[in-house]
Amino acid sequence: MDSRARTRISVYAIAEDGGRLLLARLSDASPVFAPGLWHLPGGGIDPGEQPVEALARELLEETGLEPTEAHLLDARTYTARRNGVRWSLTALFYAVSLTGGEPKVTEIDGSTEAAVWVPLEDLEDGTALSPAAADGLGMLDRAKAARTR
C-alpha cells in the first residue's frame, strides 16, 4: 500500500428547491467517502476540465439535471481513508439552479446509486451525510442568497 495521500479536486452542487435539498446516495464505487452516505451531487474534475464544466457533467451523470446557473460559494479540504487509500480532497462548492424534472441517475456503475430531493426537515434527524454534504447544508443560506443576486 502506498503511504502517500492521493489528491483529488472535486466540485459539488448545492441545489435547493421549495425547502428540499438535492442529494445523491453513494454506491460501493465511491472512491473517497463511504457507500450509503448521502452526498452532494458532484465529483472529480478531469484533467483539462474547467470546474463549472465538471459540475455540469457530474450533475448530468448523477441526477440527469443540468445547471442553469452556478455560483462558487466556498472551498473546503477533507482527509479520508477508503479501501486502503488515504485521500486529500479539495472540494469546490457551487450554489446552482437546475433545469426542472425529477432526479435520475444516468451514469452506469458510477459512484451514485440514487438521487433525490430531500426535505430539509428530514435532514434534522441525523440522516447519514458525508462530511462535504454536512458542510453544504451549512452553506444553504449563502447558496440561496447567491442564486437571488
Side-chain angles (χ1 to χ4, degrees), residues 19-143:
R20 304 177 303 162
L21 182 65
L22 183 61
L23 291 175
R25 190 172 55 231
L26 296 173
S27 72
D28 288 335
S30 171
V32 179
F33 297 116
L37 291 177
W38 288 99
H39 193 52
L40 295 172
I45 299 172
D46 291 339
E49 190 174 37
Q50 295 300 315
V52 172
E53 292 170 350
L55 185 70
R57 176 183 51 76
E58 289 285 348
L59 276 164
L60 191 58
E61 291 171 358
E62 295 182 358
T63 70
L65 304 174
E66 296 181 53
T68 57
E69 290 182 65
H71 304 276
L72 181 63
L73 286 181
D74 206 341
R76 302 278 171 97
T77 60
Y78 304 90
T79 57
R81 182 176 289 278
R82 174 138 165 77
N83 296 328
V85 177
R86 286 186 318 122
W87 288 97
S88 175
L89 173 70
T90 298
L92 306 176
F93 293 86
Y94 286 84
V96 299
S97 297
L98 301 170
T99 56
E102 286 303 309
K104 177 183 162 190
V105 178
T106 62
E107 181 180 40
I108 308 281
D109 298 326
S111 61
T112 300
E113 64 184 19
V116 296
W117 289 102
V118 178
L120 292 172
E121 61 267 11
D122 290 355
L123 298 174
E124 297 170 3
D125 69 357
T127 298
L129 297 176
S130 71
D135 283 346
L137 184 60
M139 296 176 204
L140 198 52
D141 287 339
R142 288 175 35 210

